[in-house]
Amino acid sequence: MTGFAVLVVDDEPGMRDTLMAILELNGYGVSSARDGETAVAAVREGAFDVVVMDVRMPGRDGVSVLEEMGDPPPQVILMTAYAQEERLRAAVKANAFAIVHKPFDTRRMLSLIADASRAVQNLPQVTT
Amino acid sequence: VAESTDHDRAHRRRVKLRLRLISAVTLIVLGGAVVASSLVVRNIIRDQERVLLQERAGEAASVLGGAFAGVQDSLELLGTLAATDQGRASTFAGAARSVITTSSEGVLVTAQHGSSMVVTAAAGNAPPAGQAIPADQELLARRALSTTGMVSGVLPDGSRRWLAFAVGNAAGPGTVVWERAAFSAAASAELPTGPWGDLNLALYLSSRPEPAALLAATTSKLPLAGGVSYPFTVGAETWLLVASSPTPLVGTLAGDTPWLVLGIGAVLAVLVTMVVEIQGRRRDYAAALVEVRTASLRRAVTDLEQAQAQLVRQEKMAAMGQLASTVGHELRNPLAVIMNVLYLLETMAGAEASETMRRHLATARRETSAATLIVSDLLDYAAGRAPMSGPVHLADLVTEALSVVPPPAGVEVATHLEPDMEINADRDQIRQVLLNLITNGYDSMPDGGVLDVSVRSAGDSAQITVTDTGLGMDEETRSHIFTPFYTTKSRGIGLGLAVTKRVVEAHAGTIAVRSTPSVGTSFTVTVPAARTVSVPQ
């Protein structure tokens, strides 16, 4: 177990399920959300270290969710299958940890998530 | 605009060169007509002049003839008087004196006495009776005796000359009755002037204008040039009056009329010719203008048609690009999921996986990668974004591209890279071009070979050449390789070279291909060089 909590947000059940399985297999604590609203709520309720989120979803898209993340925000890795340069620029501005184009190499995604987790670990922790 | 200016210049040059044919013909025809008219007018006026002169000469001749018409009757009457009045010369003399009007005139009768002619009766300016007449005057007497009717002649007598009329046998056989008048020279007083004062006249006592027979003339310039001859009868003989006119009888204006006709006609001919020429040139100019305008219109129509065709093509390509984009993007999600699943299967099976399973999993992964590449091609083709230019060092880029796609087994790579060649280009796009050409080269050499990549300068351009020693292409294939979705490969959807061409053209460059079946293929990309750091030679 890595002990890190990851939230997977994607409207595609296939992507959601396989990513969850892969992360569980690699020792992450994993939750999932099927859309932006649910994701925002989940991030507010639970403490996630990393959010892996699709950009294009029905309703709120990944970028707007990223812009509304709580404080301290989790590290967000955005996934996209579409050329939406404007949204991606907005994502970079909102401090996305990485933007990954679909289809991606699964091992590379895992190493990115590991990097993001470590980045979270290195943040000054506010303990309550 | 430039064309019409050229046209105007050409037109002006042609205009200066010469008259147009129709104008030249017009000028020649009109000129000929004018000259002909002038000649006709001149002839008419000359005829008129001649007729007038003839008439005037005729009048003068008839007056002269009339003046001498009574002389023969008078001499015959005087002869009769002399014959019937033998011994009483006073009757004859009285009658003779009534005939004589001036002191220079005289009347005499001669008769043959022996070998000489002796005066038998005389009155006025005449030798006295009994005197023989000079031998040279006998000739006239003899002529009179041998002629029926009156003869006439000019008789020399010292410094004086006599105009003499003689009628033979008028006072009995062998007698001659004379009337003579002395005159000092060819005096004009003898000729009728007055109404004929404007004429030059010469009177000959002969039917021909012989100088010896000249009785009188109004001018010393003899014979009269251009004169008319008017013969008339005096007694038994023919006299000749020659007349000419120093000034035109028809008037000065009439004499000038041919020249007026010629002058005015010439001016009119030139004017008409100018009008014809100007109209012709206008028409030519208009026709030339129409030609130019028609040509430009035709060009515009052609341009429009091309633009329309281009638009249709672009629309088609845009639709195709839209389709490629949609399909490409929609395939990315399932591909990502499949790759995740493959990872899960591989990881979960782990070391326990059978050989068969591993092989199947490897196949699935390979095919998924191929599908991913196809999707990439589709999206590259669909993206078609404008180049984001920056300096690109070509030798470095080629090295990088070759490291991204290492050659398959059996293929050797050779490079000939001119150092320091830079172009102003979109690095990612040119990298994509290189990757496409290099992987195409690899693919065309399934049995191995050499791939040569060279970079060199060509004038103001940079040339990238990728040459393989592979299968090559026939002409039919070669003509289609840049068409989207055309492929000869078992894999791929035929967008690589279409994308390559579009990228090169977006960089204001060209791509050329040479290929020989079984020998190989060579692609040459030429793009404008940003600058060449040339080594001084």
Side-chain angles (χ1 to χ4, degrees), chain B residues 235-514:
Chain B
E237 294 179 328
T238 301
W239 288 17
L240 188 69
L241 182 69
V242 180
S244 75
S245 176
T247 55
L249 296 173
V250 291
T252 319
L253 185 64
D256 292 338
T257 303
W259 295 108
L260 284 173
V261 168
L262 192 65
I264 293 169
V267 168
L268 284 176
V270 168
L271 284 176
V272 169
T273 303
M274 278 169 66
V275 168
V276 168
E277 178 71 14
I278 287 166
Q279 290 302 324
R281 286 179 187 189
R282 277 188 183 164
R283 203 197 51 202
D284 282 1
Y285 181 76
L289 210 60
V290 165
E291 207 173 285
V292 168
R293 295 278 152 83
T294 307
S296 85
L297 198 65
R298 207 169 286 140
R299 221 166 22 245
V301 168
T302 310
D303 288 351
L304 207 63
E305 283 171 353
Q306 282 174 351
Q308 197 190 2
Q310 172 78 14
L311 211 63
V312 167
R313 202 160 49 238
Q314 277 173 354
E315 222 161 83
K316 221 162 84 180
M317 294 303 278
M320 213 182 256
Q322 185 63 44
L323 179 70
S325 175
T326 307
V327 171
H329 284 123
E330 292 305 328
L331 282 176
R332 282 174 137 188
N333 267 317
L335 279 172
V337 173
I338 290 168
M339 281 169 86
N340 282 350
V341 170
L342 284 173
Y343 171 85
L344 279 173
L345 289 177
E346 282 163 0
T347 310
M348 278 155 48
E352 292 156 29
S354 68
E355 186 56 33
T356 317
M357 190 179 178
R358 255 199 283 275
R359 206 174 64 239
H360 290 330
L361 281 172
T363 304
R365 184 165 283 284
R366 198 169 58 239
E367 294 304 313
T368 311
S369 295
T372 304
L373 274 179
I374 290 172
V375 166
S376 289
D377 276 356
L378 267 179
L379 293 177
D380 281 345
Y381 173 74
R385 62 183 172 84
M388 294 191 294
S389 291
V392 176
H393 191 272
L394 282 179
D396 287 356
L397 191 63
V398 168
T399 309
E400 182 188 318
L402 285 170
S403 74
V404 170
V405 280
V411 173
E412 255 179 66
V413 173
T415 54
H416 299 87
L417 308 175
E418 196 171 293
D420 302 322
M421 274 302 301
E422 272 196 357
I423 60 172
N424 201 28
D426 187 310
R427 195 173 198 280
D428 285 346
Q429 289 189 356
I430 297 298
R431 183 171 177 271
Q432 186 63 48
V433 165
L434 281 171
L435 288 175
N436 285 342
L437 294 180
I438 290 168
T439 50
N440 272 344
Y442 290 161
D443 291 347
S444 76
M445 297 185 285
D447 302 324
V450 179
L451 184 85
D452 185 288
V453 184
S454 74
V455 169
R456 59 192 186 83
S457 62
D460 289 338
S461 298
Q463 272 189 355
I464 306 164
T465 307
V466 179
T467 308
D468 64 62
T469 57
L471 302 169
M473 297 175 272
D474 57 19
E475 181 57 32
E476 168 70 12
T477 307
R478 205 185 59 76
S479 67
H480 285 112
I481 52 171
F482 296 114
T483 308
F485 303 107
Y486 177 86
T487 183
T488 56
K489 296 178 186 175
S490 52
R491 291 182 180 283
I493 51 170
L495 285 173
L497 285 173
V499 170
T500 299
K501 183 169 159 60
R502 199 177 55 197
V503 167
V504 170
E505 284 173 355
H507 282 80
T510 57
I511 182 164
V513 57
R514 284 182 298 115

Side-chain angles (χ1 to χ4, degrees), chain A residues 50-121:
Chain A
V50 178
V51 176
V52 181
M53 181 163 52
D54 194 18
V55 173
R56 190 154 102 174
M57 290 181 294
R60 302 187 64 162
D61 77 350
V63 181
S64 78
V65 174
L66 166 66
E67 285 163 345
E68 259 205 53
M69 284 296 176
D71 186 30
Q75 295 294 355
V76 177
I77 296 171
L78 287 173
M79 300 177 292
T80 180
Y82 301 91
Q84 297 166 286
E85 286 177 27
E86 220 166 289
R87 295 309 285 155
L88 297 185
R89 269 199 292 278
V92 171
K93 212 171 154 189
N95 283 322
F97 181 79
I99 296 163
V100 179
H101 288 271
K102 290 179 184 175
F104 46 80
D105 183 72
T106 312
R107 285 180 181 82
R108 189 159 169 272
M109 175 59 95
L110 279 171
S111 78
L112 265 178
I113 292 170
D115 289 350
S117 305
R118 274 193 293 278
V120 169
Q121 207 171 22

